[in-house]
Amino acid sequence: MDTKPLLDYLRRYIDLDQEEEALFLSKVKLRKYLKGQYVVQQGDVCLYENFVLSGCLKSFHMDPEGHEHIVMFAIEDWWTGDLGSFLSQTPASLNVQCMENCVLAQLSHSDLQELYIRIPKLERFFRIIIQKAYVASQQRIVHNLSMPARDRYLHFRKQYPRIDQRVPQYMIASYLGITPEFLSKIRSQLIYEQ
Amino acid sequence: MDTKPLLDYLRRYIDLDQEEEALFLSKVKLRKYLKGQYVVQQGDVCLYENFVLSGCLKSFHMDPEGHEHIVMFAIEDWWTGDLGSFLSQTPASLNVQCMENCVLAQLSHSDLQELYIRIPKLERFFRIIIQKAYVASQQRIVHNLSMPARDRYLHFRKQYPRIDQRVPQYMIASYLGITPEFLSKIRSQLIYEQ
DNA sequence: AAAGGAGATTAATCTAGATTAAGACACTAC
DNA sequence: GTAGTGTCTTAATCTAGATTAATCTCCTTT
């Protein structure tokens, strides 16, 4: 497993010369995780921004009653972690756990600060991808406020077909903010309708 | 009304020299709006990023049944607009409306693109503020998934006391994703408890 | 001071979705 | 084979919050 997907991803947004690419890669740590392992644990400081080279992860918050609430999934070419914790280097409110064996490209906080100084173009890169993430997050809030569960599920399947196929239903239910039983009911209604 | 609050805000994150500040300000358009006026309308392209110099605004989505869903409020020192529309220059899915007379500092898309090139430090500035906005947005999703309405209301009052005092209750209800009647019930229960 | 009108409250009824609990399929693993 | 574990489904009951509708403030405006 190499870092090519990460470089391809970078090149979609900015042009780095050979030297800059080499510098960037020198700060990237490749790390393998087994299915079930935690990349971030609630209460610990999130040490890395993680780019997914292979595998599938979920990030979720565990509430005081012990219920999981899935905030997002991540697959190849996505970033994951607890950004709030990473930025301020304070305890995370989220867990990030591997649902398959994973290979991640990791950037530490101090290395990233250094990279921002030595390769200012990276500011642009991260500005652009975080803007996209923010827009998606706002759109999800609107959907949660304005759509019933059934429509949110249909929208999720359309927007993330690659993820829908890959994760168990009860996690999709958690992502949508409903119980697995209710998602099962919705699915049986959808099948009945056609 | 001048642009001092905007410069103060910039200086919290980056240092600009005299020339850069002047260039930046040359692209900023000051504009006054009356209470009730729309800064962005659903279906139109969002032309500006708007920094609030004075006043109070709401951004909301109107669903097909004609119900408003408030996505966020904005007061002095906040940014507002429909970022998704602004970035891609496509029709907005949100409305932004003044709830008081407002003065906004506006940056157009093309001017901002030019500013990014001529003042690369602005990439850093917008990266940092959008990161903060993203973290807040993610946190709101977690709260919407994991907290009952009552707790969400208490949290809102604690987090945004300046806004809580300033907007009508039925809009706070919309922001929280509940009806005004139910918010009224929650409030009367809270009063009863002390 | 009367007449609107916008917002807030209260209460009765209703419903989307939760909870609980019981099976139904898978799969490994032994 | 069967015991075990993780996932999905079905169905009965329950509840947080929606809907509807009436009443109650306050503000404006005249």
Side-chain angles (χ1 to χ4, degrees):
Chain A
M1 180 60 65
D2 70 348
T3 54
K4 182 166 183 308
L6 177 54
L7 289 176
D8 287 345
Y9 187 89
L10 269 170
R11 289 182 189 126
R12 277 192 237 165
Y13 300 102
I14 51 170
D15 283 312
L16 296 184
D17 60 38
Q18 292 283 15
E19 204 177 338
E20 287 168 332
E21 270 190 4
L23 173 59
F24 178 77
L25 287 181
S26 75
K27 300 297 188 185
V28 167
K29 291 185 191 79
L30 287 191
R31 179 155 170 196
K32 293 182 187 181
Y33 289 88
L34 296 175
K35 178 176 176 173
Q37 279 195 295
Y38 283 78
V39 178
V40 182
Q41 293 201 63
Q42 215 167 316
D44 293 350
V45 171
C46 175
L47 298 174
Y48 306 104
E49 292 216 7
N50 305 282
F51 179 84
V52 183
L53 290 166
S54 73
C56 181
L57 307 93
K58 61 173 172 174
S59 56
F60 63 97
H61 174 73
M62 180 82 74
D63 72 22
E65 283 85 48
H67 297 126
E68 282 188 24
H69 303 278
I70 294 186
V71 178
M72 58 172 288
F73 299 106
I75 57 175
E76 289 77 13
D77 275 17
W78 289 45
W79 292 84
T80 189
D82 181 325
L83 187 62
S85 166
F86 178 81
L87 292 174
S88 56
Q89 294 285 289
T90 54
S93 61
L94 300 179
N95 300 280
V96 177
Q97 188 182 18
C98 299
M99 292 156 62
E100 305 171 357
N101 293 342
C102 290
V103 183
L104 305 183
Q106 302 185 313
L107 281 168
S108 76
H109 191 258
S110 57
D111 283 342
L112 186 55
Q113 293 314 114
E114 186 186 333
L115 283 174
Y116 280 138
I117 292 166
R118 296 177 63 182
I119 314 176
K121 271 177 276 190
L122 285 177
E123 299 272 11
R124 179 179 184 82
F125 170 74
F126 282 104
R127 173 182 63 79
I128 292 171
I129 65 170
I130 199 77
Q131 276 178 339
K132 284 173 180 256
Y134 175 73
V135 169
S137 180
Q138 290 290 97
Q139 203 194 43
R140 185 166 165 212
I141 287 175
V142 171
H143 287 168
N144 285 345
L145 291 177
S146 64
M147 286 183 179
R150 177 203 150 97
D151 295 355
R152 262 145 51 211
Y153 174 57
L154 288 172
H155 183 263
F156 174 79
R157 279 205 316 198
K158 203 178 289 180
Q159 191 165 24
Y160 304 110
R162 291 191 307 159
I163 290 176
D164 178 47
Q165 306 300 328
R166 214 156 148 181
V167 310
Q169 270 183 46
Y170 74 94
M171 290 189 192
I172 296 176
S174 171
Y175 178 90
L176 295 173
I178 59 177
T179 57
E181 291 86 352
F182 191 57
L183 178 54
S184 182
K185 202 179 194 172
I186 288 171
R187 281 168 54 87
S188 72
Q189 282 170 2
L190 290 173
I191 289 163
Y192 175 75
E193 282 166 24
Q194 284 114 33
Chain B
M1 181 59 65
D2 70 349
T3 54
K4 183 165 183 308
L6 177 53
L7 288 177
D8 287 344
Y9 187 88
L10 269 170
R11 288 182 190 126
R12 277 191 240 164
Y13 300 103
I14 50 171
D15 283 314
L16 296 184
D17 60 38
Q18 293 281 17
E19 203 176 338
E20 288 167 331
E21 270 191 5
L23 173 59
F24 178 78
L25 287 180
S26 74
K27 300 297 188 186
V28 167
K29 293 185 189 80
L30 287 191
R31 178 153 171 199
K32 292 181 188 182
Y33 289 87
L34 296 176
K35 178 177 177 172
Q37 278 194 296
Y38 283 80
V39 178
V40 182
Q41 293 202 61
Q42 214 167 316
D44 294 350
V45 172
C46 176
L47 298 174
Y48 306 104
E49 293 216 8
N50 304 282
F51 180 84
V52 183
L53 290 166
S54 73
C56 182
L57 306 93
K58 62 173 171 174
S59 57
F60 63 97
H61 174 72
M62 181 82 73
D63 72 21
E65 283 86 49
H67 298 125
E68 282 187 25
H69 303 279
I70 294 186
V71 179
M72 59 172 288
F73 298 106
I75 57 176
E76 290 78 12
D77 276 15
W78 289 44
W79 293 85
T80 188
D82 181 326
L83 188 63
S85 167
F86 178 82
L87 292 174
S88 56
Q89 294 286 290
T90 54
S93 60
L94 300 179
N95 300 279
V96 178
Q97 188 181 19
C98 299
M99 293 158 62
E100 305 172 358
N101 294 341
C102 290
V103 182
L104 306 183
Q106 302 185 313
L107 280 169
S108 77
H109 191 258
S110 56
D111 284 342
L112 186 56
Q113 292 314 114
E114 186 187 335
L115 285 173
Y116 279 139
I117 292 166
R118 297 177 62 184
I119 313 176
K121 269 177 277 189
L122 285 178
E123 299 273 10
R124 180 180 183 83
F125 171 73
F126 282 105
R127 173 181 65 77
I128 292 171
I129 67 170
I130 200 79
Q131 276 178 340
K132 284 172 179 256
Y134 174 73
V135 169
S137 180
Q138 289 290 96
Q139 203 194 44
R140 186 166 164 212
I141 288 175
V142 171
H143 287 169
N144 285 346
L145 292 177
S146 65
M147 286 183 180
R150 177 203 151 97
D151 295 355
R152 263 143 52 209
Y153 174 58
L154 289 172
H155 183 263
F156 174 81
R157 278 206 314 199
K158 204 178 289 178
Q159 191 164 23
Y160 303 111
R162 290 191 307 159
I163 290 178
D164 178 46
Q165 306 298 327
R166 214 155 149 182
V167 309
Q169 269 183 47
Y170 75 93
M171 291 189 191
I172 296 175
S174 171
Y175 178 90
L176 295 173
I178 60 177
T179 58
E181 292 85 352
F182 191 58
L183 178 54
S184 180
K185 203 178 194 174
I186 289 170
R187 283 167 53 86
S188 72
Q189 282 169 3
L190 290 172
I191 290 163
Y192 176 75
E193 283 167 22
Q194 285 115 32

